[in-house]
Amino acid sequence: MEEEYVKLIFGLKLKQIRTERNLSLFGLSKLAKLSKSYLNEIEKGKKYPKTDKIIILSEKLDVSYDDLVSLKLDKNLAPIGEILQSKILKEIPLELFGIKESNLIDIIANAPDKVNAFITTIIEVAKHYNFNRESFYLSSLRSYQQSNYNYFDDLEQKVVKFCKAYQIDLKSPVSSKELEEVLVEEYGYTINNNDLKKHKELYDLRSVFVPKRKTLLLASDIDEAQRTFIYAKEIGYNYLDFEQRLYTFPWIKFENFDQVLNNFYASYFAGALLLPRAALVNEFSKLIKKDTFDKVAFIKIFSFFAASPETFYQRLTNLLPQDFNIQTLFFLRFTHDVGSKNYYLTKELHLPNQQSPHSNETNEHYCRRWVSLKVLEDIDKSKEDHAFDIQISQYPDDDVSYLVFSSATKDPFKKNQYRSISIGLLINKQLKKKMAFLEDPKIDTQVVGNTCERCSIMDCKERVVAPKILEKIKKNKVIEEVVSELTNKFS
């Protein structure tokens, strides 16, 4: 274990034993003839006593030497011990959130019982919702993105610097050919378009990088947008000089948080390279100045840059807060099997915090009025390559409305599956000033909920199940009111 964790565990045990003996820190100081400040430093995990001092403490507290120095904690402190021994505090870069590890250790040392209760609760919730280590990492990453409004100027500048160094024109679409040339000539890559398809177990993968041979294995059926993004991301890994990285796209598993973070940085780099900030801001500015929404012009933007809808919508989450001051928005990605009636929310981002449409508990049914699901129904029926729609979604329970853009395409990683990508912008005075087409009568407006189980729209024809959770809440409220009346009557 890390030395500071050994100190902390000894301090936690000493404090627990002292309090069990009903001794104050001053009392133990008198009993053991050790200074109060010295004992305080030990209990806070700042110091580890020498052998002779441990012997004195074990004698005065009537506990064996071996028990005192053992790293084993009793059941009351065991969860804290598990956290410390797992080294998870080392794996998560706390400095990203402005937290020093030493400060976190101080909190644990000062209130171990409360921290223990909190950790135990988190563990129980995680088990209940099947919240694994990777989910924890991804949640941490989302929090980091939200705290920065998903905009990272240092990465934007590095893309500009890269393009200048390699003479890539940011005003024109970047081709896979010129990026492949950089990978081969500058970074010594070998591109292999044949071997990946020989392994049927790897059907869902678009690429695998073999570091020892610097060989990039690519799926034979990827389109130009996918190939360009993969190349751009590989360049990102190399140009940003990341050693901790993922070797498959899409990812299979994460070994540590650095891989999660660097995967995000490399993806951000790729998005900024394929959809340059200045060019995209210019094109989007033209679109929102029109009095009516121009669907063709909207789709032409990412078609021009040869970017997939997901890359385009993700890029908007970077630039809308920064360049348009549209800071309250959400991003959703749904998947849907061909012919199925089930929809799965596989990715989401909310700026600056959670918006009305969001993931829910297992087995709840998302509102079928959402445009995110509607485009999936449309593409399933039409079998076309791309389905797009725009909607104003009104949430009466929260008294908010969103302008939502949504695209559905075949899932590039799954056979017989579609995915929809959506970005929703909170409609407020600021958005109304910026987007001239918001009053366009052709834009469909829908009153929506979050899930059928919690929805108060009683005349909804699209409803899949009854609002059983909402009904339960209302029933409990009535019971609460009756109990309150009875209590007041007989008090």
Side-chain angles (χ1 to χ4, degrees):
M1 289 180 66
E2 298 289 339
E3 184 181 346
E4 60 264 38
Y5 294 166
V6 174
K7 291 178 184 177
L8 179 59
I9 286 178
F10 184 91
L12 289 172
K13 292 185 75 171
L14 179 63
K15 185 173 183 179
Q16 184 184 43
I17 294 167
R18 173 178 64 77
T19 53
E20 286 175 353
R21 305 292 192 272
N22 293 317
L23 276 171
S24 66
L25 203 57
F26 179 79
L28 180 59
S29 173
K30 286 184 67 176
L31 185 65
K33 294 184 171 50
L34 298 171
S35 73
K36 179 183 174 183
S37 60
Y38 175 66
L39 291 171
N40 188 43
E41 291 285 286
I42 293 173
E43 289 192 356
K44 285 187 174 182
K46 301 290 179 62
K47 289 183 178 179
Y48 193 88
K50 292 182 179 180
T51 303
D52 60 328
K53 301 294 191 297
I54 298 175
I55 291 172
I56 293 171
L57 289 169
S58 67
E59 289 176 351
K60 300 302 180 183
L61 292 170
D62 192 25
V63 60
S64 74
Y65 179 94
D66 289 342
D67 285 344
L68 196 55
V69 299
S70 169
L71 297 178
K72 187 177 180 181
L73 294 167
D74 68 18
K75 63 179 182 179
N76 293 326
L77 296 176
I80 293 177
E82 289 176 15
I83 292 290
L84 296 177
Q85 292 184 58
S86 71
K87 297 186 179 181
I88 196 167
L89 298 182
K90 288 292 183 186
E91 293 179 7
I92 299 175
L94 298 169
E95 66 275 6
L96 289 179
F97 304 97
I99 301 171
K100 291 184 178 180
E101 188 180 357
S102 57
N103 293 342
L104 200 59
I105 288 175
D106 281 345
I107 293 170
I108 294 173
N110 289 330
D113 292 339
K114 293 179 181 178
V115 173
N116 174 59
F118 176 72
I119 291 172
T120 303
T121 301
I122 293 297
I123 291 172
E124 287 302 312
V125 171
K127 288 178 180 176
H128 182 68
Y129 290 103
N130 194 27
F131 193 70
N132 55 29
R133 188 175 183 225
E134 289 167 351
S135 300
F136 180 71
Y137 285 160
L138 293 172
S139 295
S140 299
L141 175 61
R142 280 197 299 272
S143 297
Y144 176 52
Q145 291 176 259
Q146 289 169 199
S147 64
N148 288 277
Y149 280 92
N150 205 31
Y151 177 81
F152 298 87
D153 194 62
D154 57 332
L155 294 175
E156 300 281 346
Q157 297 306 319
K158 285 177 181 177
V159 168
V160 173
K161 187 177 178 181
F162 167 80
C163 290
K164 184 177 181 181
Y166 291 90
Q167 290 297 289
I168 292 176
D169 185 4
L170 285 174
K171 295 180 182 178
S172 302
V174 180
S175 69
S176 64
K177 185 178 179 181
E178 59 184 320
L179 296 186
E180 181 175 320
E181 191 175 12
V182 173
L183 285 173
V184 173
E185 297 295 331
E186 182 69 14
Y187 298 114
Y189 272 49
T190 298
I191 308 299
N192 184 318
N193 294 291
N194 300 312
D195 286 353
L196 195 59
K197 64 182 179 183
K198 296 177 182 178
H199 304 274
K200 62 181 181 180
E201 299 86 356
L202 306 182
Y203 177 84
D204 292 338
L205 298 182
R206 303 292 92 186
S207 70
V208 176
F209 179 63
V210 183
K212 288 184 178 180
R213 296 184 179 181
K214 282 199 168 183
T215 299
L216 183 63
L217 305 174
L218 293 173
S220 57
D221 58 345
I222 58 174
D223 59 25
E224 173 66 8
Q226 293 167 1
R227 182 180 292 269
T228 308
F229 182 82
I230 291 169
Y231 285 168
K233 190 173 179 180
E234 286 297 323
I235 289 174
Y237 274 128
N238 285 275
Y239 190 75
L240 299 173
D241 197 26
F242 291 145
E243 292 184 7
Q244 291 287 339
R245 57 157 294 172
L246 301 178
Y247 296 103
T248 65
F249 180 67
W251 61 270
I252 300 172
K253 65 175 182 177
F254 299 122
E255 298 293 340
N256 53 59
F257 187 78
D258 282 343
Q259 289 182 344
V260 178
L261 187 63
N262 292 342
N263 178 66
F264 165 70
Y265 283 152
S267 298
Y268 190 106
F269 183 96
L273 178 57
L274 302 182
L275 291 156
R277 179 183 176 186
L280 183 53
V281 167
N282 181 55
E283 292 300 319
F284 200 76
S285 296
K286 293 178 187 176
L287 179 81
I288 64 176
K289 288 177 182 176
K290 296 181 179 181
D291 292 331
T292 57
F293 178 68
D294 191 336
K295 174 182 175 180
V296 174
F298 181 84
I299 295 174
K300 270 187 177 179
I301 296 177
F302 55 87
S303 299
F304 172 77
F305 291 106
S308 68
E310 179 160 8
T311 302
F312 173 64
Y313 284 67
Q314 286 269 26
R315 188 66 175 134
L316 286 180
T317 68
N318 305 143
L319 302 182
L320 289 177
Q322 178 68 21
D323 293 296
F324 295 89
N325 200 28
I326 299 172
Q327 298 189 333
T328 305
L329 56 86
F330 63 81
F331 170 94
L332 304 176
R333 182 180 71 198
F334 277 92
T335 60
H336 169 68
D337 294 327
V338 173
S340 169
K341 294 184 179 180
N342 298 321
Y343 301 90
Y344 304 97
L345 181 53
T346 57
K347 190 173 185 179
E348 62 180 323
L349 178 69
H350 300 266
L351 302 178
N353 42 47
Q354 193 178 73
Q355 309 298 313
S356 293
H358 56 79
S359 58
N360 59 68
E361 296 179 34
T362 306
N363 297 326
E364 285 193 44
H365 298 77
Y366 293 105
C367 178
R368 278 4 188 210
R369 291 184 174 184
W370 284 1
V371 68
S372 303
L373 305 191
K374 182 179 178 296
V375 291
L376 285 170
E377 290 180 2
D378 292 343
I379 197 169
D380 196 355
K381 292 175 184 176
S382 67
K383 308 300 180 185
E384 294 182 357
D385 293 333
H386 181 209
F388 171 82
D389 207 349
I390 184 173
Q391 180 185 93
I392 292 177
S393 298
Q394 297 178 343
Y395 289 80
D397 292 340
D398 299 322
D399 194 27
V400 292
S401 297
Y402 296 91
L403 175 67
V404 187
F405 305 87
S406 191
S407 288
T409 60
K410 289 182 179 179
D411 192 311
F413 308 118
K414 301 285 185 180
K415 191 176 182 180
N416 297 321
Q417 194 172 89
Y418 296 110
R419 63 166 52 180
S420 72
I421 310 297
S422 305
I423 186 169
L425 316 177
L426 179 69
I427 298 177
N428 50 24
K429 291 181 180 179
Q430 191 177 30
L431 192 72
K432 290 177 180 177
K433 288 180 181 179
K434 291 183 180 295
M435 296 200 164
F437 62 75
L438 264 180
E439 300 298 326
D440 185 350
K442 292 182 181 179
I443 298 177
D444 183 39
T445 298
Q446 286 282 352
V447 178
V448 301
N450 194 34
T451 67
C452 292
E453 285 82 349
R454 301 171 187 270
C455 184
S456 61
I457 306 171
M458 303 313 296
D459 60 344
C460 179
K461 295 179 181 179
E462 294 81 7
R463 178 183 293 282
V464 180
V465 296
K468 55 185 179 181
I469 293 179
L470 184 66
E471 290 169 354
K472 184 178 180 180
I473 292 172
K474 288 181 177 179
K475 181 180 178 181
N476 288 342
K477 189 174 181 181
V478 171
I479 293 172
E480 185 182 336
E481 289 174 352
V482 173
V483 170
S484 179
E485 288 178 9
L486 286 172
T487 303
N488 292 332
K489 182 177 179 181
F490 293 101
S491 61

